[in-house]
């Protein structure tokens, strides 16, 4: 490990070489901090911007040890981590930011939900998918005498237990999957680990969907949540430094298309109390975990108030607008924290911003040159292109941030609708893939 040296900024490392690491590298370059990157391919978005490159799989802990040789501290681009493999490195003195202990409850959707329950943070009701498994079948002799339908109360089979709730004493077919008491369709099933952009989620409209899911996945690795009738999705990006100081960016509205983030409006047009509550949740969470670094929390907001959807222990798509619209971008903030520089103001420098993701709308090797040039011509528009190899439908290839002038939420909502329409004439949404979700929750840009 290189000791911190006043004359030359110590290097920091990141495991991951996608667009988040790329924007981290851009922020590090502006701050004069060398950023070393571990990523499998030299054509990954962050690779050309890295001060040093360790070409290796992200799960290769020996490579992470090599990465750390010249770095004061290491952070991660995503939360799909093998903490067991990394623990010996931490024991050797390699400094991870956030720490492996703080990351532990955040690396799976199931442990996130358990954490939220422990900390009494607002979240949708949920249960582990294996709680829905059919009751174990009786031995043949008993089966011969047994009825087709029994009540849970009269069955000899052990009842499912656990914090998510038990069974109601209603007649059930022991061979059929069942829902814990208090749950009804529709439901949202999610892979506990490895899901992103809606990959690893399944809408369950009825018992057939549940049966189909149980046939195709390992139920021990999935959770099921109540389907939240939200009006808006919100997100807050927050950070905490090594000295326990917490700063939050404004709460923003996010909109998904086919479960992939489509646009983000900053700040969200929500009452001050909602802003304050979201910040309060973020600061409780960061402090309870002794978390150091940038983190984001996605929320559902509607009749049930504010409920946590997901926690991302890293910089986040909902914070990309901060590059042009805040005093300190989320990426600069993460570099500062990892390099042990003081955190800086998250305040916005403009009344508002609309960030639109540039999702692939063609398959193959399209480089979208004409569209990118046209977007760059729009007033107050800042185009970021991630230089990914290959386009596929819905793939995040870049984003554009449009700075807004409107002084009120209403004025900015109208302005954002107009600016989004301008972007759409140049950059269409990818063709709809029927998942039945989009129509159910097309959220307008709301004032
Ligand atoms: P990923 O980690 O793949 O992004 P999320 O858990 O964030 O998956 O879900 C993707 C999207 O699916 C969310 O942004 C939201 O629109 C929708 N969604 C997720 N969970 C629920 C839920 N419990 N109720 C209703 N919609 C949901």
């Amino acid at each position: 490990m290189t000791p911190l040296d006043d004359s030359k900024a110590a290097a920091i490392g990141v495991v991951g070489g996608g667009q988040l690491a790329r924007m981290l590298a851009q922020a590090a370059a502006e701050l004069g901090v060398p950023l070393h990157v571990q990523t499998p391919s030299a054509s990954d978005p962050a690779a050309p911007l890295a001060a040093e490159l360790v070409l290796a799989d992200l799960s290769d802990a020996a490579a992470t040890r090599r990465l750390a040789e010249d770095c004061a501290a290491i952070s991660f681009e995503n939360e799909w981590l093998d903490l067991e493999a990394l623990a010996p490195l931490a024991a050797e003195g390699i400094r991870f930011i956030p720490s492996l202990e703080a990351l532990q409850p955040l690396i799976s959707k199931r442990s996130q939900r358990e954490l939220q329950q422990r900390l009494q943070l607002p979240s949708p009701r949920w249960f582990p998918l294996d709680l829905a498994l059919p009751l174990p079948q009786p031995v043949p002799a008993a089966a011969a005498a047994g009825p087709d339908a029994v009540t849970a109360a009269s069955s000899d089979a052990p009842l499912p237990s656990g914090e998510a709730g038990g069974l109601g004493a209603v007649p059930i077919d022991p061979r059929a999957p069942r829902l814990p008491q208090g749950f009804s369709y529709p439901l949202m099933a999610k892979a506990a680990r490895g899901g992103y952009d809606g990959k690893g989620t399944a809408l369950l409209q009825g018992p057939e969907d549940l049966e189909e899911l149980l046939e195709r996945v390992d139920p021990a690795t999935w959770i099921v949540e109540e389907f939240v009738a939200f009006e808006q999705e919100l997100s807050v990006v927050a950070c905490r430094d090594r000295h326990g100081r917490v700063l939050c960016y404004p709460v923003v509205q996010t909109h998904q298309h086919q479960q992939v983030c489509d646009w983000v409006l900053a700040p969200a047009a929500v009452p001050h109390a909602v802003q304050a509550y979201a910040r309060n949740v973020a600061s409780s969470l960061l402090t309870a975990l002794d978390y150091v670094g940038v983190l984001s929390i996605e929320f559902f907001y509607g009749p049930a108030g504010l409920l946590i959807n997901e926690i991302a222990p890293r910089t986040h798509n909902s914070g990309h607008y901060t590059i042009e619209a805040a005093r300190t971008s989320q990426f600069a903030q993460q570099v500062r924290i990892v390099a042990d520089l003081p955190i800086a103001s998250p305040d916005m420098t403009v009344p508002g911003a609309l960030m639109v993701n540039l999702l692939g709308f063609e398959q193959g090797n399209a480089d979208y040159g004409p569209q990118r040039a046209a977007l760059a011509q729009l007033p107050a528009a800042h185009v970021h292109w991630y230089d990914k190899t290959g386009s596929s439908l819905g793939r995040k290839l870049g984003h554009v941030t449009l700075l807004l002038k409107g002084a009120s939420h209403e004025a900015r909502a109208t302005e954002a609708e107009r600016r989004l329409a301008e972007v759409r004439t140049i950059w269409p949404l990818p063709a709809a893939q029927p998942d039945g979700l989009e129509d159910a929750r097309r959220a307008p840009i709301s004032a």
Side-chain angles (χ1 to χ4, degrees):
M1 307 279 283
T2 310
L4 281 173
D5 171 353
D6 282 346
S7 60
K8 185 171 157 289
I12 59 171
V14 62
V15 179
Q19 67 263 27
L20 298 178
R22 179 184 173 91
M23 290 181 270
L24 201 66
Q26 286 161 341
E30 279 175 27
L31 286 163
V33 175
L35 185 87
H36 298 191
V37 173
Q38 173 181 342
T39 197
S41 162
S43 60
D44 288 338
L49 283 74
E52 295 285 339
L53 205 50
V54 174
L55 281 179
D57 210 73
L58 303 187
S59 59
D60 182 344
T64 304
R65 185 183 277 111
R66 288 205 302 284
L67 176 76
E69 273 166 17
D70 298 316
C71 292
I74 303 294
S75 71
F76 303 99
E77 189 188 32
N78 72 51
E79 52 278 22
W80 307 326
L81 302 171
D82 181 351
L83 293 181
E84 266 177 40
L86 294 170
L89 279 64
E92 288 162 24
I94 291 174
R95 178 174 246 170
F96 291 110
I97 294 181
S99 70
L100 303 186
E101 291 76 18
L103 285 166
Q104 173 81 59
L106 303 177
I107 61 167
S108 108
K109 291 192 186 191
R110 178 170 178 161
S111 56
Q112 287 199 7
R113 290 286 182 237
E114 287 164 349
L115 173 75
Q116 290 152 25
Q117 273 176 321
R118 272 202 308 284
L119 299 179
Q120 294 214 312
L121 297 175
S123 50
R125 292 181 317 115
W126 68 282
F127 61 92
L129 179 59
D130 48 17
L131 214 59
L133 284 170
L135 293 168
Q137 291 297 288
V139 290
D148 269 343
V150 295
T151 62
S154 69
S155 165
D156 287 340
L159 292 179
S161 60
E163 59 216 330
L167 281 172
V170 289
I172 54 166
D173 178 347
R175 293 159 306 195
R178 59 263 155 76
L179 298 180
Q181 193 166 34
F183 285 91
S184 57
Y185 297 100
L187 292 161
M188 194 61 138
K190 298 180 175 183
R193 294 201 61 174
Y196 69 101
D197 290 347
K199 297 170 180 63
T201 64
L203 178 67
L204 307 181
Q205 312 248 35
E208 313 72 40
D209 292 343
L210 177 60
E211 276 179 47
E212 188 272 324
L213 182 70
L214 283 167
E215 272 164 26
R216 88 181 150 85
V217 306
D218 172 2
T221 63
W222 279 62
I223 61 166
V224 182
E225 299 175 357
E226 62 177 316
F227 190 88
V228 181
F230 57 80
E231 283 159 9
Q232 280 186 37
E233 290 187 76
L234 303 177
S235 169
V236 67
V237 172
C239 64
R240 183 171 177 273
D241 69 13
R242 299 180 192 191
H243 314 288
R245 189 169 169 229
V246 173
L247 291 174
C248 293
Y249 288 90
V251 173
V252 299
Q253 181 186 358
T254 69
H255 178 257
Q256 334 301 318
H257 169 75
Q258 306 275 324
Q259 291 183 283
V260 180
C261 177
D262 172 15
W263 52 255
V264 171
L265 176 68
V270 292
H272 184 72
V274 172
Q275 289 270 356
Y277 188 56
R279 284 162 187 245
N280 209 335
V281 167
S283 130
S284 311
L285 185 73
L286 288 167
T287 307
L289 291 176
D290 193 14
Y291 183 100
V292 175
V294 171
L295 165 149
S296 94
I297 307 177
E298 294 174 80
F299 292 97
F300 301 124
Y301 177 50
L306 215 48
L307 297 175
I308 296 178
N309 173 22
E310 199 176 8
I311 303 165
R314 52 173 165 79
T315 53
H316 192 253
N317 200 171
S318 65
H320 290 359
Y321 76 94
T322 60
I323 296 174
E324 284 87 18
R327 283 193 203 289
T328 315
S329 78
Q330 61 166 350
F331 300 102
Q333 210 75 273
Q334 177 71 3
V335 170
R336 297 179 81 94
I337 294 171
V338 180
D340 206 14
L341 300 167
I343 47 177
S345 168
D347 293 346
M348 289 185 71
T349 51
V350 285
L354 176 72
M355 190 275 331
V356 186
N357 273 332
L358 304 177
L359 306 175
F361 58 87
E362 285 177 15
Q363 303 279 13
N365 286 326
D367 89 332
Y368 302 95
Q371 289 87 349
R372 285 154 56 192
L375 287 172
Q377 293 302 312
L378 295 176
H382 301 266
V383 179
H384 293 257
W385 190 248
Y386 306 148
D387 273 333
K388 293 187 176 176
T389 40
S391 161
S392 58
L393 288 187
R395 188 175 193 205
K396 288 177 185 164
L397 299 173
H399 74 263
V400 56
T401 298
L402 305 130
L403 303 180
L404 304 178
K405 294 193 282 241
S408 65
H409 284 311
E410 292 75 16
R412 286 193 297 274
T414 313
E415 192 183 356
E417 286 281 6
R418 183 173 51 76
R419 307 282 347 238
L420 182 60
E422 283 169 11
V423 172
R424 286 282 170 263
T425 60
I426 299 168
W427 195 283
L429 275 170
Q433 293 145 39
D435 68 356
L437 290 176
E438 180 66 11
D439 290 343
R441 39 181 142 67
R442 158 86 180 103
I445 299 180
S446 41

